[in-house]
Amino acid sequence: MKLKKVAGTVVLSYLVGASWVSAAPGYNGGGPLPSQFDLVIDATQHGVNSNDGVDDSYALQAIIDNMVPNNPDALTLIQLPAGEINLSDEIHVDKSGLVIRGAGSDPVSGTKIVVKSWSPYGVGSDNAPDFDKKYWPGFAVFRVETRQMHAKEQAYEGSINFHWKHSIEFAETASIGDTSVVLESGKAKEFSVGDFIYIGAASDKAFLDKGQVPTSRRSATHIMTGHMRTQIFKVLEVDISSDEVTLDRPLEFNLPLNNESGYNSRAMPVTAIQNFGLQDFYLTMDTSGSACEGYNTAAYSPQNPNGVLYRYENVCSQDAIHGVILKWVQNGWVKNLNIEMIGSHPIVTEFAKDVTISDNNINGSWNKGAGGNGYFRGSKLYDSWIKDNTIKNIRHLALQWSATGNIVENNYLNEDLNLHGGWERNNLIRNNTVEVPFEHRSWSNGAPEAGSTWQPIWVGSGDHASKWSGPTGPNNVLLNNTFKKAKSAGQPIETWGLFDTPNVEYALGWNGSQFEHLNVDGAPIATWNQLIAEGVFAQIPHSGVNTAGGSWQRPVTEPSEPEEPVDPPVNADCSEVLSYAWGSKQELIIHDGLCLQIDRPLSDKTVQVWDSDTNSSCDFRGMVRALDDTSELVVSSNYVSTKSLIGSLLSFNSSNGCNYLKFRAY
């Protein structure tokens, strides 16, 4: 990765194949949050009154439904009053351009929102909340998500984004670094320039082999029929004639048509809530009359068996309501919320892009057990910024399920930073302070596991993570974090001494150029604990951790401007010169004397050659040469890629008499 400053904003550059991609994380590319609004609605004028003990859910939802325009280009502020506001149902923040702001996050002087659980869940056999998973990840006090329904799924609000109902397959495979995809016939017309497009890759054998997923885990449903690798893009260009869609950034993974079990990779138009905000209020749960009522916030012990501090199980699954859900959203923020003792996740994302989550104070959760409860959970979180938060007494701060391009910095935690699995990648985690007590440890059979304790960081790997998600992906970088840990009962919290050397960039799952599974003595680690962490650390750089700065470094100079187009040279070897459209995939029928003119030098650019799609009678094997340089590319398989070509005028020489190929330079 590279880091640079642009007008005071952190800009993250991450490595995709051999190409750098620049992106500032967070709302408006890491820009300041707005303070001016096009429309301001005083909630007290429309039935949301504080300190009266009356449920305000209906009144607040009515303001959203009836008074707020759905316009991402204009901001509407709902201003909540100071004092206590009572809610007893989910608030749907389903309008783009909507900001809900309180009078401050101090529960005494600001806006104190108290939710009364409506106990929406049953209890599963594993004591986790049991609910219809089409409403994943469950209920929240504030749910930022569209309520639009798909024509084939009218029973569920938000089903317009159910990818198994509203999905498109691909006509061609694509590779890491590609900036366009070819959809199945006639489907490009479903997209327009500026739309958002979801792309999910089926987990094929090549991918599972790369992640060293154990064979015994590969028949699991989430691996056979899920998309572990996902990304959301903005559409830059649509070619209806070829069904090709150009993306605003490169793919970060290879895209097969399907996997060996027949499950397809898919694309989907995304209906996102955009330009939204939640800020400046306190949020907690009133447990009276609920299944949580008998429990307390003190530490669990034989003397206090109903304490939930450091208790990693679900004590009242019926009431595991989240604080804030961000699902299918783009360009928003959650700022200065004080979330104390909520039902499960204080903040959880599912397909959220360009979000700033900052200056929040989080303390505790009633349910922190099976089913993945009690997290600050960044699932399918893209290009976002988690910064300056205090996060205490929950289960994990987790990045998981293809989270990518995020910066997590300047946070204080007394629980672990958790790379939870599902091919999260290209994330920068820096300048955080993590102080973990010994009591932060796994539970089983209603009690802490004897001798176990969790470390300041956790990395999904091997057999363990594959049970629910698969391994953590490449190039997650730790830099200048303070990691502290009490390693045994009764010991003080002291410096951990692993992965926290100042100014050393620990790129996990990265060997300097590509993914490498974390390993000890060459064997992929099956789980993560103190002994394994010490082993991985001791064997750097041979254990899947790179510290050479090859994946993340400060640039010496600013990025150079694009090269000026070059004039076509005159070359006696060329009887015909074709012009090449930069970045496109172009079918060629070659002959003696045919040359291809590129509009810029190829130095440090990627050149790809495939077998032809339109002429399948033979497969080209031979040589691609730069006539204005001495560089060349040998084509000996159905796909080759290089950055070694330097010139701008190319010739093609077949060694097997086949004259058909597909070419791309970018």
Side-chain angles (χ1 to χ4, degrees):
M1 293 185 185
K2 295 183 178 180
L3 198 70
K4 63 177 182 173
K5 284 278 191 177
V6 177
T9 298
V10 176
V11 176
L12 179 67
S13 295
Y14 49 92
L15 196 62
V16 179
S19 301
W20 292 104
V21 180
S22 294
Y27 175 77
N28 275 356
L33 303 184
S35 58
Q36 301 295 318
F37 303 92
D38 299 276
L39 174 64
V40 177
I41 300 173
D42 181 351
T44 64
Q45 300 300 308
H46 304 281
V48 179
N49 298 308
S50 59
N51 301 322
D52 60 1
V54 175
D55 179 16
D56 296 295
S57 304
Y58 177 81
L60 181 54
Q61 191 65 61
I63 295 173
I64 297 171
D65 293 348
N66 301 322
M67 300 184 66
V68 177
N70 187 21
N71 184 359
D73 298 320
L75 284 175
T76 297
L77 173 68
I78 297 178
Q79 179 63 57
L80 302 176
E84 183 171 315
I85 293 174
N86 303 103
L87 300 177
S88 61
D89 205 349
E90 190 168 54
I91 301 300
H92 295 272
V93 183
D94 63 335
K95 300 286 184 69
S96 291
L98 171 57
V99 178
I100 298 178
R101 186 178 71 185
S105 61
D106 187 306
V108 176
S109 61
T111 299
K112 180 179 182 180
I113 297 177
V114 179
V115 60
K116 184 76 171 178
S117 174
W118 56 99
S119 299
Y121 306 111
V123 180
S125 58
D126 59 353
N127 202 39
D130 186 16
F131 63 100
D132 189 334
K133 297 306 187 287
K134 290 182 180 179
Y135 206 62
W136 182 263
F139 293 89
V141 184
F142 291 94
R143 187 186 195 92
V144 188
E145 182 189 12
T146 181
R147 297 164 80 181
Q148 291 186 40
M149 294 178 286
H150 191 271
K152 297 180 180 179
E153 196 68 274
Q154 290 289 299
Y156 295 90
E157 293 180 337
S159 62
I160 191 70
N161 287 326
F162 282 10
H163 69 74
W164 56 86
K165 290 291 184 182
H166 194 191
S167 62
I168 296 165
E169 296 169 12
F170 296 93
E172 295 183 10
T173 61
S175 302
I176 185 171
D178 284 356
T179 54
S180 65
V181 292
V182 180
L183 307 178
E184 61 179 304
S185 179
K187 294 297 185 179
K189 64 185 178 183
E190 296 193 20
F191 296 91
S192 300
V193 172
D195 285 353
F196 292 102
I197 179 173
Y198 159 93
I199 292 178
S203 297
D204 61 343
K205 183 178 183 298
F207 169 65
L208 299 177
D209 288 347
K210 176 191 290 188
Q212 296 187 275
V213 174
T215 302
S216 61
R217 300 292 183 192
R218 297 191 182 192
S219 60
T221 300
H222 67 272
I223 290 177
M224 294 179 65
T225 61
H227 293 157
M228 195 181 301
R229 296 165 291 173
T230 64
Q231 222 172 328
I232 293 177
F233 305 87
K234 183 171 282 190
V235 174
L236 294 186
E237 186 177 343
V238 178
D239 187 336
I240 294 177
S241 64
S242 64
D243 281 300
E244 186 167 20
V245 174
T246 302
L247 313 172
D248 67 336
R249 62 187 61 212
L251 271 171
E252 295 180 20
F253 43 79
N254 293 328
L255 187 68
L257 295 182
N258 49 41
N259 64 14
E260 286 70 20
S261 63
Y263 189 76
N264 294 316
S265 299
R266 290 171 176 160
M268 182 182 75
V270 172
T271 301
I273 298 300
Q274 302 175 63
N275 206 14
F276 64 90
L278 297 170
Q279 66 181 80
D280 301 331
F281 56 81
Y282 175 93
L283 176 62
T284 193
M285 177 181 286
D286 175 8
T287 63
S288 61
S290 74
C292 297
E293 183 175 14
Y295 295 91
N296 61 74
T297 61
Y300 167 88
S301 69
Q303 294 74 35
N304 183 34
N306 287 339
V308 300
L309 181 64
Y310 307 132
R311 184 176 190 145
Y312 297 102
E313 62 177 2
N314 300 316
V315 299
C316 46
S317 297
Q318 304 94 320
D319 305 295
I321 298 167
H322 310 309
V324 174
I325 290 176
L326 308 178
K327 186 173 182 182
W328 297 110
V329 301
Q330 189 267 336
N331 206 39
W333 70 90
V334 178
K335 178 181 173 64
N336 192 32
L337 301 191
N338 188 350
I339 306 178
E340 187 167 17
M341 295 308 298
I342 204 67
S344 179
H345 303 315
I347 299 174
V348 52
T349 71
E350 284 286 317
F351 302 104
K353 178 173 165 52
D354 306 314
V355 175
T356 296
I357 304 175
S358 65
D359 302 290
N360 300 289
N361 185 72
I362 291 169
N363 184 19
S365 167
W366 292 108
N367 294 279
K368 299 188 288 288
N373 286 283
Y375 297 11
F376 184 126
R377 183 171 179 265
S379 174
K380 306 177 186 76
L381 180 67
Y382 315 103
D383 311 308
S384 294
W385 200 1
I386 301 172
K387 68 185 185 80
D388 301 320
N389 302 284
T390 298
I391 307 169
K392 299 171 64 176
N393 303 326
I394 60 171
R395 189 176 176 106
H396 313 296
L397 190 168
L399 297 177
Q400 65 182 122
W401 281 111
S402 227
T404 181
N406 304 295
I407 292 182
V408 179
E409 64 178 342
N410 300 327
N411 302 286
Y412 174 84
L413 301 90
N414 71 350
E415 63 283 313
D416 53 289
L417 273 165
N418 197 295
L419 297 168
H420 208 57
W423 212 247
E424 66 277 24
R425 59 195 182 271
N426 297 324
N427 299 292
L428 174 59
I429 300 170
R430 65 175 188 174
N431 297 330
N432 301 282
T433 297
V434 184
E435 298 180 337
V436 180
F438 174 75
E439 291 76 14
H440 184 65
R441 53 185 175 155
S442 57
W443 276 51
S444 64
N445 300 317
E449 290 187 0
S452 70
T453 186
W454 287 331
Q455 288 65 47
I457 61 170
W458 195 92
V459 185
S461 53
D463 183 71
H464 193 162
S466 297
K467 288 187 294 185
W468 61 78
S469 61
T472 292
N475 200 32
N476 294 288
V477 177
L478 305 173
L479 175 65
N480 287 335
N481 298 287
T482 299
F483 294 142
K484 296 184 177 182
K485 172 66 186 169
K487 295 181 181 178
S488 61
Q491 279 195 346
I493 297 174
E494 298 177 329
T495 298
W496 192 40
L498 304 179
F499 305 99
D500 57 4
T501 304
N503 301 316
V504 174
E505 305 151 13
Y506 298 96
L508 307 181
W510 189 253
N511 67 6
S513 61
Q514 61 183 358
F515 173 77
E516 181 178 350
H517 199 292
L518 297 184
N519 65 88
V520 176
D521 296 329
I525 62 173
T527 185
W528 184 263
N529 57 33
Q530 180 69 29
L531 184 63
I532 289 173
E534 291 173 356
V536 170
F537 185 78
Q539 295 187 11
I540 294 171
H542 306 296
S543 55
V545 181
N546 177 56
T547 61
S551 61
W552 188 93
Q553 58 186 338
R554 298 178 187 275
V556 177
T557 59
E558 291 296 305
S560 59
E561 294 296 321
E563 297 87 348
E564 293 294 326
V566 296
D567 293 328
V570 177
N571 193 293
D573 294 327
C574 303
S575 61
E576 179 183 2
V577 178
L578 298 179
S579 296
Y580 172 73
W582 184 253
S584 65
K585 295 178 182 178
Q586 188 166 329
E587 291 278 352
L588 297 177
I589 303 176
I590 64 173
H591 58 78
D592 288 343
L594 176 72
C595 297
L596 190 65
Q597 177 62 58
I598 316 297
D599 70 354
R600 66 199 73 185
L602 288 171
S603 178
D604 293 325
K605 304 297 189 295
T606 298
V607 169
Q608 299 169 313
V609 176
W610 295 266
D611 292 346
S612 171
D613 291 332
T614 58
N615 294 281
S616 59
S617 60
C618 61
D619 298 329
F620 174 86
R621 301 292 182 265
M623 190 79 69
V624 181
R625 291 189 174 91
L627 296 179
D628 47 350
D629 184 69
T630 59
S631 55
E632 59 188 26
L633 170 64
V634 176
V635 181
S636 58
S637 61
N638 61 351
Y639 168 75
V640 294
S641 177
T642 187
K643 294 188 75 174
S644 64
L645 292 176
I646 296 176
S648 61
L649 184 67
L650 304 182
S651 68
F652 303 84
N653 303 98
S654 173
S655 62
N656 65 350
C658 186
N659 296 324
Y660 308 117
L661 59 88
K662 183 169 66 174
F663 175 91
R664 185 187 187 197
Y666 64 96

